[in-house]
């Protein structure tokens, strides 16, 4: 298009180009690429000044203050073109990797259609189509409520359970994580998240897998539901075999409900569409999903449930809007969800998670006898926990004890950092004060990616078992930092 001599463009600090046309009218055009080119280098300063001030500080401290410029699939790239392997998937969001072309096309298509979105007083076909497809993966569940996030999905389940049963108290497992809004926080099993935000909803924690504790609480007659992650995100701890089914029977005997939080474990992560499906006879009353359902593009949360629960909550036309979400069921989110489920089917993503995950765990487990600092490997599919433990030899035990005295979890951090710095592999420590690394990569990773991780992890373990060198020097830095923060 030829330049208009009667118009001048000015890029201000927010990325808006101001246009002054020949007739004097002013307009604007947003140029995101220009804004990022001008100010992308300020990313950590902007975070420190306007957002969470501790995030940038933490990233600087552990050397994670990278400048990633683009991403595709299971890889990031920095400005120099260096490739990084993602073993975090945005805490499980990017099951299909980043920028899957089918999901991106679906989002572009829905915007190009100029749909009359969120009219409020109509019934768009997209939510019904996504609900139909999602429920096809969860036989025995009948209806879906769409919100915008995992914590909204949990809030919905808690509200529906309390209303449907007429009871107020919710049971949850120690060390659970179900979100950080007030209702979800009430069933969060970590005091570090809860501290200072009281009062919360009526709740009681029980140990994961403890049927006697569950039975004891149910006898009080005021329990609406038990909410549980089939595999806990914190520490990658699974419910014992048979426990979910036995818990379900106990709950139903006492007219209480089973809620499975599948926000992280669902949509294929564990090698089944939902993690509860690994155990025969388990049919939750309510299931929470989110993260991967978005395709990595548009946030969406879903609460699946039995028909009678929804029919009780929405019992009359007077109650038609008794529970809703302003942006729930928006067209972009529904299109992203539909495309994600289609990719899952066409590209056999769940099968890949099971096959590659089993292979991955087998190879990691083979290292346990080789390295005394490596205690256990556990998980299902592509949700894998690597736990470190106290070594036998005196030389290693001295360093380990110093780390534990300063702050539990520092050794796992010592492993995470060289994986990124030396090998360009992004991982995470699985919760505060835990010596566990959690691997939740995109479900599309290959055995070649597993080879790459194994080579890097083996090298880091060899370094750690020397008992000296750069890795332990960094450990001493972490000890000083931990002691200084007390």
């Amino acid at each position: 298009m030829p330049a208009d001599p009667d118009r001048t463009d000015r890029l201000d600090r927010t990325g808006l180009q101001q246009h002054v046309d020949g007739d004097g009218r002013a307009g604007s055009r947003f140029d995101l690429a220009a804004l990022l080119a001008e100010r992308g280098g300020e990313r950590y300063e902007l975070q420190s000044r306007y957002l969470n001030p501790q995030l940038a500080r933490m990233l600087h401290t552990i050397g994670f203050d990278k400048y990633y410029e683009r991403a595709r699939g299971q890889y990031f790239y920095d400005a120099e073109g260096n490739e990084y392997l993602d073993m975090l998937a945005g805490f499980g969001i990017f099951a299909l990797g980043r920028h899957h072309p089918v999901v991106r096309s679906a989002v572009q298509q829905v915007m190009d259609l100029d749909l009359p979105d969120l009219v409020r007083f109509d019934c768009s076909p997209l939510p019904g189509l996504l609900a139909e497809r999602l429920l096809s993966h969860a036989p025995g569940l009948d209806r879906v409520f769409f919100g915008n996030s995992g914590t909204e999905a949990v809030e919905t389940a808690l509200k529906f359970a309390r209303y449907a049963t007429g009871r107020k108290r919710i049971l949850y497992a120690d060390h659970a994580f179900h979100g950080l809004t007030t209702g979800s926080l009430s069933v969060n099993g970590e005091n570090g998240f809860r501290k200072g935000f009281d009062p919360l909803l009526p709740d009681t924690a029980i140990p994961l897998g403890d049927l006697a504790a569950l039975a004891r609480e149910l006898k009080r007659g005021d329990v609406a539901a038990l909410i549980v992650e089939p595999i806990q995100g914190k520490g990658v701890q699974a419910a014992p075999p048979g426990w979910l089914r036995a818990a379900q029977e106990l709950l139903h005997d006492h007219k209480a409900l089973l809620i499975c939080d599948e926000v992280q474990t669902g949509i294929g992560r564990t090698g089944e569409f939902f993690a509860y499906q690994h155990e025969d006879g388990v049919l939750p009353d309510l299931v929470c999903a989110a993260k991967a359902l978005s395709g990595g593009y548009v946030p969406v949360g879903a609460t699946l449930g039995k028909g009678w629960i929804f029919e009780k909550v929405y019992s009359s036309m007077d109650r038609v809007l008794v529970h809703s979400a302003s942006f729930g069921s928006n067209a972009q989110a529904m299109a992203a969800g539909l495309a994600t489920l289609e990719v899952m089917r066409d590209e056999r993503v769940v099968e890949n998670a099971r096959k590659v995950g089993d292979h991955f765990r087998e190879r990691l487990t083979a290292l346990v006898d080789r390295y005394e600092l490596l205690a256990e490997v556990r998980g299902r599919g592509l949700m894998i926990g690597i736990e470190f433990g106290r070594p036998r030899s005196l030389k290693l035990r001295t360093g380990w004890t110093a780390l534990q005295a300063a702050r539990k979890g520092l050794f796992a951090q010592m492993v995470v950092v060289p994986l990124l710095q030396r090998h360009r592999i992004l991982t995470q420590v699985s919760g505060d004060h835990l010596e566990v690394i959690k691997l939740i990569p995109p479900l599309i990773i290959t055995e070649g990616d597993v080879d790459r991780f194994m080579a890097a992890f083996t090298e880091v373990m060899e370094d750690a078992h020397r008992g000296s060198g750069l890795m332990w020097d960094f450990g001493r830095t972490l000890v000083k930092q931990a002691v200084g923060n007390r």
Side-chain angles (χ1 to χ4, degrees):
M1 182 180 293
D4 182 350
D6 294 322
R7 186 174 71 186
T8 59
D9 292 347
R10 300 190 308 275
L11 178 65
D12 69 11
R13 296 280 284 175
T14 64
L16 291 177
Q17 287 186 344
Q18 302 295 324
H19 312 310
V20 182
D21 296 317
D23 60 4
R25 290 181 301 173
S28 63
R29 182 177 70 232
F30 181 68
D31 190 334
L32 181 60
L35 177 61
L36 289 174
E38 182 188 13
R39 302 198 64 194
E42 302 173 40
R43 62 192 73 190
Y44 289 98
E45 291 83 357
L46 291 166
Q47 173 70 225
S48 296
R49 182 175 300 173
Y50 300 116
L51 301 168
N52 181 346
Q54 297 300 331
L55 176 60
R57 182 185 177 198
M58 179 271 288
L59 293 172
H60 287 310
T61 299
I62 65 173
F64 270 42
D65 49 347
K66 300 290 184 182
Y67 284 64
Y68 302 112
E69 297 295 331
R70 62 187 180 90
R72 179 60 59 90
Q74 61 268 49
Y75 307 113
F76 302 119
Y77 300 90
D78 62 21
E80 288 72 43
N82 296 310
E83 181 184 271
Y84 296 76
L85 176 61
D86 180 18
M87 285 284 165
L88 182 58
F91 296 137
I93 292 169
F94 294 96
L96 303 182
R98 283 169 170 79
H99 307 299
H100 193 287
V102 173
V103 184
R104 176 157 63 184
S105 173
V107 175
Q108 290 172 335
Q109 287 178 55
V110 79
M111 289 190 290
D112 290 342
L113 286 171
D114 293 333
L115 295 176
D117 197 16
L118 299 176
V119 174
R120 301 302 179 193
F121 291 95
D122 78 333
C123 291
S124 167
L126 291 178
L129 290 169
L130 179 56
E132 178 182 63
R133 199 160 296 183
L134 190 57
L135 289 166
S136 72
H137 295 281
L141 301 180
D142 308 299
R143 297 183 182 274
V144 183
F145 175 86
F146 288 115
N148 306 287
S149 65
T151 196
E152 278 191 51
V154 169
E155 294 279 357
T156 298
L158 298 180
K159 285 181 66 177
F160 282 26
R162 295 175 82 195
Y163 191 86
T165 63
R167 300 170 179 175
K168 305 304 179 189
R169 196 158 61 102
I170 306 291
L171 304 181
Y172 63 96
D174 290 334
H175 309 300
F177 184 92
H178 298 292
L180 296 176
T181 50
T182 302
S184 300
L185 188 61
S186 300
V187 291
N188 192 311
E190 286 301 315
N191 287 332
F193 289 110
R194 298 164 64 99
K195 187 177 179 180
F197 295 106
D198 296 333
L200 301 172
L201 300 180
D203 58 68
T204 303
I206 63 171
L208 182 68
D210 191 332
L211 281 176
L214 175 60
R216 185 168 56 250
E217 295 300 330
L218 287 170
K219 285 179 181 178
R220 293 170 59 181
D222 63 342
V223 172
L226 166 70
I227 184 168
V228 64
E229 303 154 278
I231 303 176
Q232 290 186 333
K234 184 179 175 66
V236 195
Q237 295 286 359
W243 184 78
L244 268 183
R245 181 171 180 176
Q248 173 182 277
E249 291 172 359
L250 264 177
L251 288 159
H252 289 172
D253 286 346
H254 290 82
K255 297 182 171 29
L257 307 182
L258 174 63
I259 304 170
C260 278
D261 180 348
E262 298 262 9
V263 169
Q264 188 165 106
T265 56
I267 323 294
R269 169 62 55 191
T270 67
E272 294 285 352
F273 195 85
F274 288 116
Y276 73 80
Q277 293 168 340
H278 286 283
E279 188 170 321
D280 291 339
V282 176
L283 177 57
D285 301 288
L286 293 158
V287 174
C288 306
K291 288 188 183 288
L293 188 59
S294 69
Y297 273 97
V298 186
V300 56
T303 306
L304 293 70
K306 293 179 178 176
W308 73 268
I309 298 172
F310 277 67
E311 288 152 20
K312 198 159 186 178
V313 171
Y314 299 109
S315 57
S316 68
M317 284 192 289
D318 288 343
R319 295 180 57 81
V320 66
L321 296 177
V322 72
H323 184 74
S324 62
S326 294
F327 287 93
S329 299
N330 71 82
Q332 289 87 353
M334 300 298 97
L338 284 163
T340 295
L341 296 185
E342 186 144 327
V343 171
M344 287 272 183
R345 181 195 64 199
D346 292 349
E347 299 184 10
R348 302 180 69 84
V349 173
V350 181
E351 292 89 337
N352 189 69
R354 181 167 56 248
K355 177 186 173 184
V356 176
D358 288 348
H359 171 69
F360 204 169
R361 287 195 318 282
E362 287 172 7
R363 293 187 64 183
L364 286 166
T365 300
L367 299 180
V368 172
D369 291 335
R370 179 174 169 183
Y371 296 116
E372 58 183 293
L373 284 160
L374 187 55
E376 185 183 13
V377 175
R378 55 180 177 265
R380 281 188 184 274
L382 285 171
M383 186 172 183
I384 300 172
I386 303 172
E387 183 166 7
F388 305 101
R390 187 173 184 266
R392 298 179 301 276
S393 62
L394 179 60
K395 182 180 179 181
L396 291 176
R397 203 161 61 237
T398 301
W400 174 269
T401 302
L403 290 169
Q404 297 296 295
R407 193 175 197 274
K408 189 175 180 181
L410 292 186
F411 181 81
Q413 194 67 63
M414 280 173 53
V415 175
V416 163
V417 169
L419 282 174
L420 181 67
Q421 298 285 18
R422 298 209 302 260
H423 302 283
R424 301 193 184 106
I425 298 175
L426 179 64
T427 57
Q428 65 160 321
V429 176
S430 181
D432 205 14
H433 301 288
L434 286 182
E435 295 291 3
V436 181
I437 292 174
K438 179 168 63 176
L439 305 179
I440 45 171
L443 305 185
I444 60 170
I445 66 166
T446 66
E447 291 190 4
D449 296 320
V450 174
D451 291 341
R452 176 175 171 180
F453 180 89
M454 292 301 302
F457 184 71
T458 301
E459 184 178 314
V460 172
M461 285 290 94
E462 291 288 341
D463 190 13
H465 282 75
R466 293 188 190 103
S468 61
L470 290 176
M471 188 171 172
W472 287 95
D473 289 342
F474 176 66
R476 284 186 281 274
T477 299
L478 290 178
V479 168
K480 292 177 182 176
Q481 180 78 23
V483 171
N485 285 336
R486 287 180 176 173

